[in-house]
Amino acid sequence: MLTCPAFLLYAPSCNFPSGSFSKTMTSSRLGLIALTVSATMVAGCGSTNEPLNVFEPTLADKIDFAVQPSESAPEVDGTNYIGLAFSGGGTRAAAFAYGMVQQLHDTVLPGSDGRPVTSDIRFLSGVSGGSVFAAYYGLKGPASLKDFREKFLLKDAEKNLRTSAINPVNLLAAASGGINSRTGFARWLDRNLYNGATFKDLNQNRKTKVWLNASDVFNRTPFTFEPEAFRALCSNLDSLPIAEGVAASAAVPIVFSPIVLKAYGPKCEFSEPPWLSTARYSPEATATLKAYARALKNYRDPSKMKFVKLLDGAITDNFGVTGLSIARARSQTPYGPLTAREAVRLKRMLFMVSNAGREIDAKWANELAGPSGLELVSAIADTAMDSATREGFDSFSSAMRKWQQDLINYRCALSSTEVKRHRGTMRGWNCRDLKIFVGQLRFDQLDPQAEERLNNVPTRLKLPAHQVDMAVEAGRQTLRQSPVFKGFLTSISGISKDGKRLISARSTKAPRLIQPD
């Protein structure tokens, strides 16, 4: 389906917004003439995506955030819980997250008889480029570390996309809502990486929960591909291909047309959860929770909205942690979204964010004039997105600190009978022995030369091998030297009598960042 633009903003030099990839657009008078001619000849040029979801009156049972391992899942003792969030940033972000998880897998949990840290990963959240790896790891687990570099990081994921910034038709399409439809990238992902897997396949991993995050641009809220939102839309998430969720998470404005979900409103029954009523009327509910509750309400109201329009998750939260804050706020228990059993058995929780964002590089900061035209639009958009992401992370960190105290208070109020029911024994029970660690990995945690090289890696879906490997090693190196990660390991192992930390690793090799060719 095509739509025709009413007008076109034109500038001799401008940038696509940063998300999945960026290009510098330049033109000449000849290009402007060609653009004008095209505008009169092309009847329409903006791609409109058809809805991803279908109406389903009988929906699957609710899948909770906190799930117990299935019989086929690797055995875990439940005392450690690791959550990871992978930021946006195209292939650079996927490579950075991949390197971080490689290092986690090469690190042995203290006192575990050789078990890798990855064995305690219970939650993954991905945005844009980070969602590509989050979904793949959620499907294959540690086996994904063997082939993700070859199957995605070294591939040209822009192969089926229109990327020319000087093509007049592309410029017209950009002004009409988006250059590319969802199909090119989603089909490429499905064929090269996910092989037809659906969210049902992803949710069969009962050990690790995976959330893919986009942005609902009407309600101005994050949109997480999880069952509750789809039940409100009268649809079943299980039948949706994973590739479509990843493509929605990475749908950069202008580069892609909005991804569409149809809101079937009151055509199916939807039992409003208690938290939604509380969020609507309680003065103590957070603004984020209220906004999410309002979005679910709008999905049910055909006079308000018939279609949900999704774009890059980075617009509302480039770290993908807002959904976790919402999950905590809507739980209405001192331990949710964990189960009571998990809350009692838990000792250490670690949440790490791989932030593959680059330092801002704008010439107008050193000039009297500017920014102007599309540079100004881009600067405003980047300011809003970065500010929302920072505030979201700060809010998340604050919520985790409060949750730690709520969990301790809950545990210490339990009777010995309740503790035995969840733990099986009172041996070694200490209700206060619980600690939550929250950290972030960034390029500026490396030496200045390494940071500069990484800041020069573009936000694209196609990178040369040396830039891919540089980003991978950056993920490994920032985790190795992370005080938060070291603190997490030390808190598990404790300090030996001679003062040495009892931390071991499968691989002690620590190569430097790979130099560009």
Side-chain angles (χ1 to χ4, degrees):
M1 190 180 298
L2 298 174
T3 58
C4 187
F7 61 88
L8 176 67
L9 289 174
Y10 173 79
S13 179
C14 56
N15 291 310
F16 281 143
S18 60
S20 289
F21 63 87
S22 61
K23 272 184 170 291
T24 300
M25 297 195 293
T26 60
S27 64
S28 61
R29 289 185 179 180
L30 182 60
L32 180 56
I33 293 172
L35 180 62
T36 305
V37 172
S38 297
T40 61
M41 295 180 64
V42 179
C45 53
S47 300
T48 299
N49 292 308
E50 293 299 319
L52 293 178
N53 59 324
V54 296
F55 174 64
E56 189 167 336
T58 304
L59 302 179
D61 292 335
K62 180 177 179 181
I63 300 175
D64 292 327
F65 172 90
V67 293
Q68 300 302 320
S70 66
E71 293 181 0
S72 60
E75 188 68 27
V76 294
D77 62 14
T79 59
N80 300 320
Y81 186 111
I82 296 176
L84 305 175
F86 307 146
S87 81
T91 297
R92 183 187 68 245
F96 190 57
Y98 173 68
M100 178 180 74
V101 177
Q102 274 190 331
Q103 188 62 36
L104 284 172
H105 194 65
D106 286 346
T107 305
V108 174
L109 280 166
S112 67
D113 296 327
R115 196 158 53 91
V117 174
T118 48
S119 63
D120 282 334
I121 293 178
R122 303 292 303 281
F123 177 78
L124 296 173
S125 181
V127 177
S128 195
S131 67
V132 179
F133 180 57
Y136 195 59
Y137 189 92
L139 269 180
K140 298 188 64 175
S144 64
L145 300 175
K146 298 178 181 178
D147 61 6
F148 184 71
R149 179 178 180 272
E150 287 68 31
K151 295 187 71 171
F152 178 77
L153 296 179
L154 298 182
K155 296 289 187 179
D156 179 6
E158 296 177 15
K159 183 177 181 179
N160 296 324
L161 301 179
R162 292 186 292 173
T163 61
S164 173
I166 61 175
N167 185 320
V169 174
N170 285 359
L171 291 173
L172 285 167
S176 299
I179 298 173
N180 293 279
S181 70
R182 76 170 202 268
T183 55
F185 187 41
R187 287 175 181 171
W188 186 94
L189 287 170
D190 198 50
R191 183 171 61 252
N192 289 277
L193 205 59
Y194 304 121
N195 299 315
T198 65
F199 277 88
K200 181 179 181 179
D201 299 311
L202 193 62
N203 288 327
Q204 283 179 345
N205 181 353
R206 302 288 290 176
K207 179 190 171 188
T208 302
K209 185 75 174 173
V210 181
W211 278 1
L212 307 180
N213 304 276
S215 295
D216 177 343
V217 291
F218 175 81
N219 290 298
R220 291 164 286 179
T221 58
F223 182 92
T224 301
F225 282 79
E226 52 93 24
E228 185 170 63
F230 276 75
R231 283 196 303 277
L233 295 169
C234 299
S235 295
N236 189 352
L237 176 62
D238 278 356
S239 60
L240 192 70
I242 295 171
E244 297 286 7
V246 173
S249 179
V252 182
I254 299 178
V255 176
F256 292 95
S257 299
I259 309 301
V260 180
L261 296 171
K262 188 170 183 179
Y264 292 96
K267 290 187 177 181
C268 70
E269 293 185 6
F270 177 71
S271 300
E272 186 174 288
W275 72 261
L276 202 154
S277 301
T278 301
R280 192 177 299 151
Y281 301 112
S282 173
E284 297 181 0
T286 65
T288 299
L289 188 64
K290 285 181 178 294
Y292 179 66
R294 189 164 52 249
L296 289 187
K297 183 175 181 294
N298 288 341
Y299 297 164
R300 306 292 302 166
D301 184 356
S303 67
K304 194 75 172 178
M305 61 187 308
K306 296 179 180 179
F307 298 98
V308 181
K309 307 294 179 69
L310 304 178
L311 284 171
D312 192 343
I315 296 173
T316 49
D317 175 15
N318 196 38
F319 292 168
V321 296
T322 300
L324 288 167
S325 298
I326 292 173
R328 171 68 192 124
R330 75 189 186 192
S331 67
Q332 297 191 311
T333 68
Y335 50 79
L338 297 177
T339 64
R341 178 177 180 272
E342 287 175 320
V344 172
R345 295 170 65 87
L346 182 67
K347 289 187 177 181
R348 298 295 178 263
M349 180 180 287
L350 172 70
F351 275 99
M352 292 296 294
V353 175
S354 67
N355 175 8
R358 300 186 301 165
E359 189 71 24
I360 297 172
D361 181 19
K363 293 182 179 179
W364 50 261
N366 292 317
E367 300 172 350
L368 179 61
S372 60
L374 291 185
E375 276 190 334
L376 178 60
V377 174
S378 179
I380 293 171
D382 288 344
T383 299
M385 288 189 289
D386 288 352
S387 176
T389 297
R390 288 194 300 268
E391 291 179 5
F393 182 76
D394 289 345
S395 176
F396 171 72
S397 299
S398 177
M400 292 300 101
R401 287 193 294 270
K402 184 178 184 302
W403 190 23
Q404 175 178 297
Q405 191 57 53
D406 289 344
L407 285 169
I408 290 173
N409 292 343
Y410 164 75
R411 287 153 54 107
C412 291
L414 293 174
S415 67
S416 57
T417 300
E418 291 172 308
V419 174
K420 286 181 180 178
R421 179 162 58 90
H422 294 304
R423 291 182 77 243
T425 179
M426 287 295 293
R427 183 181 301 171
W429 171 244
N430 180 352
C431 65
R432 296 186 176 277
D433 185 18
L434 186 150
K435 179 78 173 170
I436 297 178
F437 297 81
V438 178
Q440 186 182 152
L441 304 183
R442 306 184 308 271
F443 294 161
D444 64 2
Q445 294 167 347
L446 300 166
D447 64 78
Q449 292 77 20
E451 180 189 3
E452 182 179 359
R453 293 196 298 273
L454 289 160
N455 282 331
N456 288 327
V457 178
T459 308
R460 297 283 302 270
L461 290 172
K462 177 180 69 172
L463 294 176
H466 77 267
Q467 289 186 337
V468 166
D469 292 335
M470 184 165 57
V472 170
E473 180 53 35
R476 296 180 66 101
Q477 189 171 326
T478 51
L479 182 71
R480 278 196 302 267
Q481 62 192 42
S482 167
V484 173
F485 183 55
K486 291 179 180 178
F488 168 74
L489 295 177
T490 300
S491 72
I492 296 174
S493 64
I495 305 296
S496 64
K497 291 183 179 180
D498 59 1
K500 294 181 179 179
R501 293 181 178 181
L502 301 177
I503 301 175
S504 59
R506 292 181 171 188
S507 174
T508 58
K509 187 178 180 180
R512 294 186 178 183
L513 285 174
I514 298 174
Q515 295 285 344
D517 294 337

